[in-house]
Amino acid sequence: MKIKKVEIEAFRAYQSKLDGTFDFTNDMDEPVNFVAIYAPNGFGKSSFYDAVEWAITNRVKRLTNYQNEAKSIKNRNEGLKILRNKYADEETVTTVVVSTSAQNSFERNLPKIRKNQSDLSIGYLENEFFRNIILSQDAIEGFLREEKPQERYSKFMESFGGNIEIARKELSILISDNYSEISTLKKKRNSLLLELEQPIDFSIFEQFNSVVSELNSLGESIILPKESISSESVHHLNANLILRQHELNESLNIKSRLLEALYEHLKKLPVIELNVGYQIEQKKHLDRVLKGITDVDKYKGLLDSHKKCVEEQKQASVRLNNLLEIAEKVEKFVQTESRLKDIDKSKSILTDNCSKITADLAGFEQKLIQLNNELRVDDDRVILLRSTVDNSRLVYDELSNNRDRIILLNQQISDRNTIIHEEKAKRDELNYKLNKLSSLKITSNLLLAGGVEDFVFEKEKIEQLGKISVELDLLEVNIQVLHSTQKALAEQMEIHERLISIGLDYLSVEPSHICPLCTTLHSSSGELIDKVKSQNLLSELSQENSKKISQSSIREKELRDEIQEITQQAVESQAQQLTSLRNKSHEIEVKLAEAEQEKNTFEYETKNLEHRNAELERSVWGLSNQELVTRVEAELYQLSVKRPNLIQQKENLTAQIQVGNESLKAKRVEYSTLESEMETKSSSHVYVSVLAYLNENAIAAQDIEKHCELKKEELKAIIRRCIASGESITSQCNDIQQEMITNGTSLDIVTMKSEKRNIRGSVN
């Protein structure tokens, strides 16, 4: 996962999003592989890292140590602001958005904090994996400050080791433990080997067999080992002994636990005996208490039943009073209901009549609109026909002029096409020459070879270049010969040097004043040796040859400079010719553009004229002047005959609409009167109360009188039953109270008397 973009606003050093937006993508909208943020101290590098850490984890670990210092300077009326930029506007929300290549983004908004709260500790820690993929500034400083290599390695691997470092530590611990275990086993093995080297003590068999014999006499079945016992038999014997020992230990543990349990039960026998005696004494008291509890529960149940009877009696009385009121209003309700039905029926009839009249009026108005539209269309048609005839002369004149102008424009367009064709041919020829000339790479060989059709250069310069080239070739051959000669001379000089060296060696062994080569006499052997040492090894021929080589090299350089100069002149001539060709091509392009523009202007004008002619021909219907006048006069006569009939139909419809509106108005007044009467009667108190009772009890209006009579008798019976039940419950309460006093049950007598008075008062 790579970070693509970071947007920071009102966080730490970043006040606005304009200064806090970091885009780490290339032109293909892909995150780059490496990003370095460079800035002086105090420009927000640490704040950038804090913003990314806060957006992903909801924490900034390095700032947790600065909360105490920040508390000393915080405002009492505000929360502790460590993450928020203090210069940001109050309405700006502290926001950090980190977009990644994993198609998801981490967005964090800082909510408003209370007075006693810090913005550094809002919410829970999230995304702990951030510690494993990003190394903080504090972690880097701690790594650099560490002096011990082991600690530095540990700090580095904590951040970059991951699961591999954890596995390495676990393997290291396991290897260390294995080495320790191996060492212990080796020591134990050595001690066992030492024991094996000791001679066998046969007295051990006698001691073991004596112990086994005693155990067998007690019921065990252990085999007595002999001195010739094998290792397998020893292992088998040890296994049987260990198994038997384990069985005996288990049996011993079970019997020990059983013994402890029996001992505990034995200690509890006196307490059990005492509790049994106390239980007999308390049983009588318990029976008396249980009897009292039963009487109290029964007494309380009777009180609840009495309260229920009293409440039921009150409810029945209230319902009876309401029913009596409803019964008094039934007659008036029935009259109102009958009148409302008559009004509703009259309203329905009026509504149907109004709907019919409205539909008829709508039809009349629609027909009237159609007649008006038809009259307006006919009037517009008459105006159009007359204006067409009046303007026809001008139209025919404009058509004639436009046709003549189109012929002229077509001729001009044809001329411009010819010019464009010619100029394009010239342009193509120039472009061919220009491309061919620009593709040439001017060299001395190209100039000497000739055959460059489109390249013009001075003939004298080319002839001079040919002479120089011939001279240069001869000079190069001469230089090669001189170098060969110099090489041969150098080989001879080597022989000469070896000969002089041999002579010096001979003279050093056999000093003489006579030269061993030329037998020339010298004054002394030392003079002869000095003469040999001062011998010039470079002959006059070699010197002369070297001088010729030097002169030839100088001449070769002069010739090459002349070739380079002529070639440079040819390159400059090529550049001048290219410039001239480009200027000519530009002039042709300008002429071609002007011709194209003029052609487009003429074509546009021709198109407009043709469009205008089409409009003009449509305005005169594509007819000649005589045909147009004849057809217009015929259509005007038809319209003049049609108009009086339409006007008569319009007057008839207007009269019918007026009659219908008056009838509709009268019926609406009558409908409003009925609706007012209906609202008055339906909102009266008698009607509303009786109607509500009918709706609550789901009763039809015609059954209300019968229902009232039945309900009266039912409620009176309920009241009589409640009174009888109350008297019966009061008598039972008195009996229970007397019985409880006789039995001496602990009960609050005052409370019972108070309840008794309440019962009697309720019954009365």
Side-chain angles (χ1 to χ4, degrees), residues 731-742:
S731 176
Q732 293 179 18
C733 287
N734 291 333
D735 294 340
I736 292 171
Q737 181 181 357
Q738 188 63 36
E739 184 177 356
M740 291 171 66
I741 293 172
T742 303

Side-chain angles (χ1 to χ4, degrees), residues 493-675:
M493 287 301 102
E494 290 178 0
I495 297 172
H496 191 194
E497 288 174 358
R498 286 198 298 273
L499 183 61
I500 291 173
S501 178
I502 293 170
L504 290 173
D505 292 340
Y506 174 77
L507 291 175
S508 63
V509 175
E510 296 289 339
S512 175
H513 61 282
I514 299 173
C515 179
L517 295 177
C518 61
T519 66
T520 303
L521 294 176
H522 296 277
S523 60
S524 63
S525 61
E527 183 182 356
L528 178 60
I529 293 172
D530 293 336
K531 184 69 174 178
V532 172
K533 288 182 178 180
S534 62
Q535 179 68 32
N536 188 4
L537 298 178
L538 189 60
S539 65
E540 293 180 358
L541 181 60
S542 177
Q543 291 177 356
E544 184 180 357
N545 195 64
S546 297
K547 186 177 180 181
K548 289 181 179 179
I549 291 173
S550 176
Q551 292 174 353
S552 298
S553 298
I554 293 170
R555 181 58 182 167
E556 181 185 13
K557 184 176 183 304
E558 291 175 354
L559 293 174
R560 291 190 183 279
D561 291 340
E562 290 179 5
I563 292 173
Q564 182 65 29
E565 183 180 358
I566 295 172
T567 305
Q568 183 63 32
Q569 292 175 359
V571 171
E572 292 175 356
S573 177
Q574 180 194 21
Q576 293 175 359
Q577 294 177 35
L578 287 173
T579 303
S580 176
L581 290 174
R582 290 191 181 99
N583 291 335
K584 291 180 181 179
S585 177
H586 178 68
E587 292 175 359
I588 292 173
E589 289 289 347
V590 171
K591 292 180 181 179
L592 189 61
E594 291 176 355
E596 290 281 356
Q597 186 176 3
E598 291 176 355
K599 175 188 173 183
N600 292 333
T601 303
F602 293 149
E603 288 179 347
Y604 180 74
E605 186 178 356
T606 302
K607 186 176 180 181
N608 290 337
L609 289 173
E610 290 175 351
H611 181 69
R612 177 60 180 166
N613 285 347
E615 291 180 353
L616 293 173
E617 288 177 356
R618 284 196 298 272
S619 65
V620 295
W621 304 347
L623 302 174
S624 63
N625 191 13
Q626 186 63 35
E627 292 173 346
L628 179 66
V629 171
T630 303
R631 184 176 293 184
V632 167
E633 288 178 353
E635 190 171 350
L636 286 174
Y637 176 75
Q638 293 176 358
L639 292 173
S640 63
V641 173
K642 179 182 176 183
R643 182 176 178 79
N645 186 23
L646 294 176
I647 292 173
Q648 183 63 38
Q649 292 180 15
K650 180 180 177 182
E651 291 175 355
N652 295 336
L653 285 174
T654 303
Q656 291 177 356
I657 289 171
Q658 184 176 1
V659 173
N661 285 330
E662 291 176 356
S663 175
L664 183 63
K665 184 177 180 181
K667 291 186 182 298
R668 285 177 177 172
V669 170
E670 185 179 357
Y671 183 87
S672 178
T673 303
L674 292 174
E675 193 171 27

Side-chain angles (χ1 to χ4, degrees), residues 182-198:
I182 289 170
S183 177
T184 303
L185 291 173
K186 284 182 179 180
K187 290 179 181 179
K188 188 174 181 181
R189 176 176 174 273
N190 293 332
S191 64
L192 291 173
L193 289 174
L194 290 174
E195 290 181 3
L196 289 173
E197 292 176 358
Q198 298 296 327

Side-chain angles (χ1 to χ4, degrees), residues 289-500:
V289 171
L290 292 175
K291 181 66 169 61
I293 292 171
T294 303
D295 293 340
V296 169
D297 292 340
K298 187 176 180 182
Y299 182 79
K300 289 181 179 179
L302 291 173
L303 285 178
D304 293 339
S305 299
H306 180 267
K307 290 179 181 178
K308 185 176 180 181
C309 288
V310 171
E311 185 65 28
E312 188 177 356
Q313 180 183 349
K314 289 180 180 179
Q315 293 177 0
S317 299
V318 171
R319 289 166 62 190
L320 180 60
N321 292 332
N322 293 335
L323 188 63
L324 292 174
E325 292 178 1
I326 294 298
E328 293 175 356
K329 300 174 182 178
V330 166
E331 184 177 357
K332 192 172 182 180
F333 173 79
V334 171
Q335 295 175 357
T336 304
E337 182 74 14
S338 176
R339 178 54 184 162
L340 288 175
K341 288 181 180 178
D342 295 340
I343 292 172
D344 191 52
K345 186 175 181 181
S346 300
K347 284 173 62 179
S348 178
I349 294 171
L350 288 173
T351 301
D352 294 340
N353 292 335
C354 289
S355 298
K356 185 177 180 182
I357 294 171
T358 303
D360 294 340
L361 287 173
F364 294 154
E365 289 176 355
Q366 186 66 28
K367 290 180 180 178
L368 183 61
I369 291 170
Q370 292 176 358
L371 288 173
N372 289 329
N373 290 335
E374 192 171 355
L375 284 170
R376 185 166 56 254
V377 170
D378 290 346
D379 293 340
D380 294 341
R381 184 63 178 171
V382 169
I383 294 171
L384 177 63
L385 292 172
R386 288 175 179 171
S387 64
T388 301
V389 173
D390 295 339
N391 299 328
S392 61
R393 187 64 185 171
L394 296 175
V395 171
Y396 288 119
D397 292 341
E398 187 177 355
L399 277 171
S400 178
N401 294 332
N402 289 343
R403 291 189 181 105
D404 296 339
R405 177 62 179 166
I406 288 171
I407 293 170
L408 179 61
L409 288 173
N410 287 330
Q411 182 62 36
Q412 291 178 342
I413 290 171
S414 178
D415 295 341
R416 293 303 181 276
N417 284 329
T418 303
I419 294 171
I420 289 170
H421 181 71
E422 294 175 353
E423 294 298 328
K424 281 185 177 180
K426 293 179 181 179
R427 182 189 63 182
D428 294 339
E429 184 179 358
L430 281 175
N431 288 335
Y432 173 75
K433 292 181 179 180
L434 186 63
N435 292 331
K436 189 173 181 180
L437 184 59
S438 61
S439 64
L440 291 177
K441 186 176 182 181
I442 303 299
T443 61
S444 59
N445 295 329
L446 181 66
L447 294 173
L448 292 172
V452 183
E453 299 175 358
D454 299 319
F455 179 61
V456 179
F457 193 58
E458 298 177 8
K459 188 176 181 181
E460 294 80 5
K461 295 285 185 182
I462 295 175
E463 291 176 355
Q464 183 183 356
L465 182 64
K467 293 178 181 179
I468 293 171
S469 179
V470 171
E471 184 180 355
L472 182 62
D473 292 339
L474 294 174
L475 188 61
E476 287 178 350
V477 172
N478 188 27
I479 289 173
Q480 290 178 358
V481 172
L482 290 174
H483 278 292
S484 300
T485 304
Q486 189 70 17
K487 184 178 180 182
L489 291 173
E491 291 175 354
Q492 292 177 2
M493 287 301 102
E494 290 178 0
I495 297 172
H496 191 194
E497 288 174 358
R498 286 198 298 273
L499 183 61
I500 291 173

